[in-house]
Amino acid sequence: MRIIKYILGILLLADCNRLLGQEDINLDLENLFYESDLSEFAYDTYLENLEELQEKPLKINSADAFELEDCRLFSNEQISNILNYRELAGKLISIYELQAIPGFHPDFIHKILPYIQVNSNIDDYHIAFSKLISKGNYQLILRYQQVFPNKTGYQNAKYIGHPSKIYTRFKYNYSNKFSYGITAEKDPGEAMFKEKSKLGFDFYSFHIFWKINTKIRALALGDYQVNLGQGLVLWTGFGFNKTTNAMLVKKEAAPLQAFTSVNEFAFLRGIATHLRLKSVDLIPFFSLKKVDANLSYSDSTNTDLNSSRIALSGYHRTATELESKHANLELKTGLHVKLNSRNKHLGYSILYTRLQKDLLFPAKAYNQFQFQGKHLVNQSLDYHLILKRLHFFGESAFSLSKMQTGFAFVHGILINPDKKIDISIVHRYYQAKYQSLYYTKAFGENTSPSNEHGIYLGMQIKILKNLSINSYFDIYSFPWLSYQKSSPSWGRDFQILLSQKISKTFSWYISYKNEVKEASTKIQLGDNNVHQLNSTNLPYLQAYFGEELITSHDQLLEVSSSLSKQEIEAAKFITPTLNQNIRFHISYSPIKNWHFQTRIQVNHFYDKINPKESGFMAYQDIQFKSLKCPFSFSTRISYFDIPSYSSRVYSYENDVLFQFSIPSLYRQGIRAYLNLQYSITKNLQIWIRASHSYYTSSEELGSGNDKIIGNKTYDLKAQVRLKF
């Protein structure tokens, strides 16, 4: 019977046994990135881990639960099913036998084929340390990038450095068992070899990371990432919120990872280890690093601190930004304890944070519950439990500071009532009093787990063999005030995606998203300093300006002696804003080694104060890649006609290795890019990327120091990678 399943698996999967290259990974992840917060996402680290798995695939027959989790390919349920299957049936005869394990569908198996294998060798069980540090691979990456023409900040000398962005990284690794490396970067406008950057680059990162097959599972020195529970206490690595994949709601990642990215804030610096004592995991960690902070003093002596907040941008281009560099010292230390079983776990986390200088916020109503002071303690309990077709997960946390105590929890369930249906439900309640310090990434609408209450329902249905529906509905509220909102607010979010893979060379999807959210709105005066009145916006304007200034008979709101332009533009309203879009996308390969993508998207935006906005975007993508040719490229041309930033469209673009680009398109214009790769030898590769944006109805772009005079921009990027 087992041999029959194996043969059937080969027949079902033989037509999709191909390696996933860099471009394929980018295409698979595009929908997950759409409208996600990418500023904190270590995309280069994620892709690098996948590349290392391609070179040294995971041994599926010998990997234990920790290694299966650490590779980040499988869910907890899939890991449990692999271990149960090996225990009952023994080692897998072939990769194709994965078809016989519950939760492993042909599409998923085909995607992970490059990263797993069934064969084992002695290195899987013991590797001498001398071999770890001497028989691995070295990698050197150099990257240069610059945008033309120069922005206003360079012309008025506000930006003290050169407009180029320079990146370099040296790394040694032996498979995914041992690595060390150093990363350095300067952003555009940052100076080199000057004050606060006397060593050259503005940012440096160093790490040593060792995975040991003993009671010490992993050891991290230097810069590292810690991911605990569901992100309520600490999560510095990869993690998504709402995406087009309705089942991707549970946070899953290795608890301890090396940090090799250039995000200048979302990492820890110090020492950490992962210990395993039978069924108990212990992860103690200690971090001490300087962080950027915006400090404001009430006098010229800089002794009486008026306000202080952590700066997250990582930019040090101007005199003000340089003053904030390393202006505070942050200590973080904590412990995670996890009791493991085959189908469940229970974890406890504690995190202590101490700052050298107090955090102080202006006395605003929305800041009332923000953390202020130097000391903060967070604790939580997290769990997961698998009962046949039910997968429960969640985390409950509380914070303790000198000012207050707050609570937060997120609990969810993944349901598989039928092999063609998957359901996800997530309930979250984050008190406004719950406090955390930027290193969290819990499920929700806000960037931090505070002041939010919501429930999410997702569903994935496989209608036919290659036809499926992904959909979710999320309703939420913000019980307390928030930035630019003078009252509690609410929102709802609905999305549905219908996709079909007709053949190996042709697939399509169509998606629709509708989101209503209360937001702060301002009046947008027209070219003639007038604003059209209607039955929808009239009550809002009368309530703000008074019925004596705006009557029900008025057709226009215009600048007058009674209402100045400044008074009109300063008015703020809290209104439900509607943002909806529909997208149609096809992907096809009519010729071997050539891949084409076509997309059309329409957006609508309405805030009840200003006229309705409609935007349109379309692009054509062409890619060439052949295993027999050292040269490959991808190119695209896009046309967009989008009235304003409120109705903007995001579009993923292919980039050089370990990079991504997701520009927001608005106004009217054309954007094109060309991305070239050439492999001089097996170990020496170069990339050259050029992009161009042309705006037909704009005379200047951006604002402030980032303003560009003109309607054209050019972005050039070059990268070299040497492996030895």
Side-chain angles (χ1 to χ4, degrees):
M1 184 64 185
R2 186 180 176 192
I3 297 297
I4 293 175
K5 288 183 178 180
Y6 164 50
I7 295 173
L8 288 175
I10 293 178
L11 295 176
L12 287 168
L13 294 170
D15 65 335
C16 46
N17 183 12
R18 63 182 179 88
L19 293 182
L20 292 180
Q22 178 68 39
E23 303 303 328
D24 299 302
I25 296 169
N26 290 342
L27 293 174
D28 285 340
L29 293 176
E30 181 185 27
N31 287 338
L32 301 181
F33 288 138
Y34 183 69
E35 287 193 304
S36 295
D37 179 11
L38 300 180
S39 61
E40 298 178 357
F41 177 51
Y43 185 54
D44 49 354
T45 302
Y46 179 71
L47 289 180
E48 187 177 5
N49 289 336
L50 289 179
E51 187 184 48
E52 289 177 0
L53 276 174
Q54 277 189 299
E55 296 176 353
K56 296 280 188 177
L58 177 76
K59 311 302 191 297
I60 196 73
N61 274 328
S62 58
D64 60 16
F66 171 77
E67 293 170 308
L68 292 170
E69 179 184 6
D70 187 61
C71 73
R72 288 176 279 177
L73 296 175
F74 310 107
S75 67
N76 287 127
E77 186 175 2
Q78 289 172 320
I79 292 172
S80 177
N81 291 340
I82 291 173
L83 298 176
N84 287 334
Y85 186 86
R86 285 190 340 209
E87 186 175 308
L88 292 173
K91 294 182 177 181
L92 280 71
I93 298 174
S94 165
I95 287 177
Y96 303 113
E97 194 180 344
L98 286 169
Q99 172 90 5
I101 301 178
F104 284 79
H105 305 295
D107 286 345
F108 176 77
I109 298 171
H110 131 76
K111 289 180 181 180
I112 65 171
L113 284 178
Y115 313 117
I116 61 174
Q117 66 182 48
V118 297
N119 298 327
S120 301
N121 55 56
I122 190 65
D123 273 0
D124 299 329
Y125 304 97
H126 176 72
I127 305 173
F129 185 72
S130 59
K131 185 176 182 179
L132 275 178
I133 63 175
S134 62
K135 301 299 182 180
N137 299 315
Y138 295 91
Q139 178 177 253
L140 177 65
I141 296 177
L142 302 173
R143 184 188 306 142
Y144 182 93
Q145 180 180 0
Q146 188 168 344
V147 175
F148 302 92
N150 285 342
K151 299 177 180 179
T152 302
Y154 302 103
Q155 298 170 7
N156 60 21
K158 294 292 186 181
Y159 291 160
I160 61 175
H162 192 268
S164 62
K165 182 174 184 177
I166 302 175
Y167 167 93
T168 183
R169 182 173 70 181
F170 170 79
K171 183 181 178 182
Y172 168 87
N173 70 284
Y174 184 95
S175 180
N176 63 344
K177 304 290 185 182
F178 180 81
S179 70
Y180 63 83
I182 184 169
T183 302
E185 183 198 49
K186 81 163 237 32
D187 290 310
E190 294 178 341
M192 299 184 71
F193 300 104
K194 291 186 179 180
E195 184 182 1
K196 294 195 176 183
S197 58
K198 294 181 180 179
L199 296 178
F201 289 91
D202 177 75
F203 174 75
Y204 287 93
S205 176
F206 173 77
H207 84 278
I208 299 175
F209 197 80
W210 185 13
K211 295 180 182 177
I212 313 169
N213 289 323
T214 65
K215 293 180 180 179
I216 304 176
R217 302 310 301 258
L219 176 65
L221 297 173
D223 296 343
Y224 60 91
Q225 296 179 323
V226 174
N227 307 304
L228 305 179
Q230 291 300 303
L232 287 177
V233 170
L234 184 61
W235 193 285
T236 60
F238 159 62
F240 289 120
N241 277 326
K242 292 177 287 186
T243 72
T244 51
N245 186 337
M247 304 306 294
L248 198 68
V249 294
K250 181 178 183 287
K251 293 284 189 293
E252 293 180 337
L256 184 61
Q257 302 170 18
F259 177 79
T260 59
S261 187
V262 290
N263 184 311
E264 298 186 24
F265 186 80
F267 66 93
L268 301 181
R269 176 167 287 174
I271 183 171
T273 186
H274 183 170
L275 309 173
R276 171 158 291 185
L277 307 174
K278 294 184 178 180
S279 62
V280 180
D281 284 353
L282 298 174
I283 304 174
F285 55 91
F286 175 86
S287 171
L288 182 66
K289 68 173 184 177
K290 294 180 179 180
V291 295
D292 294 354
N294 295 324
L295 307 179
S296 175
Y297 296 91
S298 58
D299 55 36
S300 59
T301 61
N302 290 351
T303 56
D304 187 9
L305 193 61
N306 186 41
S307 68
S308 167
R309 64 178 63 201
I310 302 297
L312 304 177
S313 71
Y315 287 126
H316 307 116
R317 305 161 298 181
T318 66
T320 302
E321 290 173 348
L322 276 174
E323 288 179 2
S324 71
K325 184 176 181 179
H326 297 167
N328 210 336
L329 183 66
E330 176 192 75
L331 181 149
K332 282 186 178 291
T333 185
L335 174 68
H336 180 68
V337 182
K338 184 178 178 183
L339 305 177
N340 297 287
S341 181
R342 178 65 58 85
N343 297 318
K344 56 184 176 293
H345 90 263
L346 178 65
Y348 166 76
S349 302
I350 181 169
L351 172 67
Y352 169 68
T353 303
R354 185 185 187 280
L355 298 172
Q356 185 182 52
K357 298 177 182 178
D358 288 284
L359 285 189
L360 297 173
F361 289 92
K364 303 287 186 181
Y366 69 87
N367 280 332
Q368 180 176 336
F369 301 114
Q370 288 275 10
F371 169 67
Q372 302 191 62
K374 295 180 179 179
H375 305 273
L376 178 64
V377 176
N378 295 86
Q379 298 186 67
S380 74
L381 289 174
D382 67 272
Y383 68 93
H384 93 271
L385 173 64
I386 300 174
L387 297 174
K388 295 184 178 179
R389 295 180 179 270
L390 304 177
H391 183 173
F392 300 89
F393 64 92
E395 183 177 18
S396 297
F398 79 90
S399 62
L400 176 64
S401 67
K402 183 179 179 180
M403 305 293 293
Q404 64 195 39
T405 298
F407 297 88
F409 67 76
V410 54
H411 300 289
I413 179 173
L414 305 176
I415 309 171
N416 178 227
D418 183 86
K419 64 179 181 179
K420 294 184 177 181
I421 300 176
D422 292 293
I423 299 171
S424 61
I425 303 173
V426 181
H427 178 222
R428 62 201 185 268
Y429 178 69
Y430 309 144
Q431 274 190 334
K433 292 184 177 181
Y434 182 75
Q435 299 174 332
S436 60
L437 276 179
Y438 312 108
Y439 294 85
T440 53
K441 205 176 273 113
F443 184 88
E445 184 72 15
N446 277 334
T447 55
S448 63
S450 177
N451 187 33
E452 183 173 343
H453 185 197
I455 188 164
Y456 170 100
L457 173 64
M459 184 174 293
Q460 182 174 283
I461 304 174
K462 295 185 178 179
I463 303 174
L464 300 172
K465 180 181 179 182
N466 296 317
L467 181 66
S468 64
I469 292 178
N470 254 293
S471 180
Y472 74 78
F473 178 79
D474 185 39
I475 186 167
Y476 50 87
S477 66
F478 308 122
W480 185 246
L481 317 183
S482 54
Y483 180 62
Q484 292 189 337
K485 295 178 185 176
S486 56
S487 63
S489 56
W490 61 273
R492 62 157 178 80
D493 191 0
F494 169 75
Q495 183 164 349
I496 184 169
L497 182 143
L498 178 67
S499 61
Q500 183 179 26
K501 185 174 183 179
I502 297 176
S503 66
K504 290 188 297 181
T505 60
F506 188 87
S507 64
W508 63 269
Y509 73 80
I510 185 170
S511 67
Y512 171 74
K513 183 174 182 179
N514 182 300
E515 183 174 19
V516 176
K517 180 193 297 187
E518 286 190 317
S520 179
T521 305
K522 288 187 174 184
I523 298 172
Q524 298 174 7
L525 288 175
D527 295 335
N528 298 322
N529 288 331
V530 298
H531 187 74
Q532 186 73 42
L533 296 177
N534 54 51
S535 59
T536 303
N537 63 19
L538 184 61
Y540 289 98
L541 273 62
Q542 285 182 327
Y544 186 89
F545 293 110
E547 294 186 17
E548 65 277 5
L549 292 178
I550 302 177
T551 70
S552 58
H553 302 292
D554 292 330
Q555 300 296 317
L556 296 172
L557 172 67
E558 52 189 336
V559 175
S560 65
S561 59
S562 302
L563 280 176
S564 67
K565 181 178 180 180
Q566 291 76 15
E567 289 176 315
I568 294 175
E569 292 181 334
K572 293 182 180 180
F573 310 88
I574 303 298
T575 65
T577 60
L578 170 66
N579 199 332
Q580 58 181 340
N581 66 70
I582 185 167
R583 175 198 291 184
F584 178 68
H585 183 101
I586 58 174
S587 178
Y588 47 101
S589 300
I591 309 172
K592 185 179 180 181
N593 301 325
W594 290 84
H595 185 75
F596 299 84
Q597 293 183 95
T598 304
R599 175 178 298 178
I600 297 173
Q601 181 164 329
V602 177
N603 279 22
H604 296 284
F605 178 83
Y606 184 43
D607 60 16
K608 296 204 173 196
I609 299 295
N610 300 291
K612 296 180 181 179
E613 295 183 3
S614 295
F616 172 82
M617 187 274 291
Y619 74 61
Q620 179 61 52
D621 217 48
I622 303 174
Q623 300 176 52
F624 169 79
K625 187 171 186 178
S626 172
L627 296 177
K628 298 180 180 179
C629 179
F631 170 80
S632 64
F633 76 88
S634 61
T635 185
R636 174 183 299 172
I637 184 167
S638 307
Y639 171 77
F640 53 94
D641 186 358
I642 301 163
S644 73
Y645 183 76
S646 298
S647 51
R648 64 195 177 277
V649 172
Y650 290 96
S651 179
Y652 179 92
E653 297 180 351
N654 288 310
D655 211 312
V656 302
L657 183 68
F658 301 150
Q659 284 280 284
F660 68 93
S661 176
I662 307 184
S664 58
L665 303 178
Y666 61 100
R667 299 187 178 98
Q668 184 184 64
I670 296 172
R671 178 174 170 83
Y673 77 84
L674 176 64
N675 191 34
L676 306 174
Q677 177 187 349
Y678 184 73
S679 298
I680 299 174
T681 67
K682 180 181 179 181
N683 296 322
L684 180 60
Q685 301 164 301
I686 60 172
W687 290 261
I688 297 176
R689 187 182 193 273
S691 64
H692 171 53
S693 297
Y694 169 68
Y695 299 87
T696 59
S697 57
S698 301
E699 297 180 357
E700 59 182 39
L701 307 170
S703 61
N705 289 328
D706 289 329
K707 181 190 294 185
I708 292 177
I709 305 301
N711 63 346
K712 300 175 184 177
T713 63
Y714 302 86
D715 189 348
L716 301 179
K717 185 183 296 185
Q719 177 171 292
V720 178
R721 180 172 75 160
L722 174 64
K723 300 172 70 176
F724 53 98

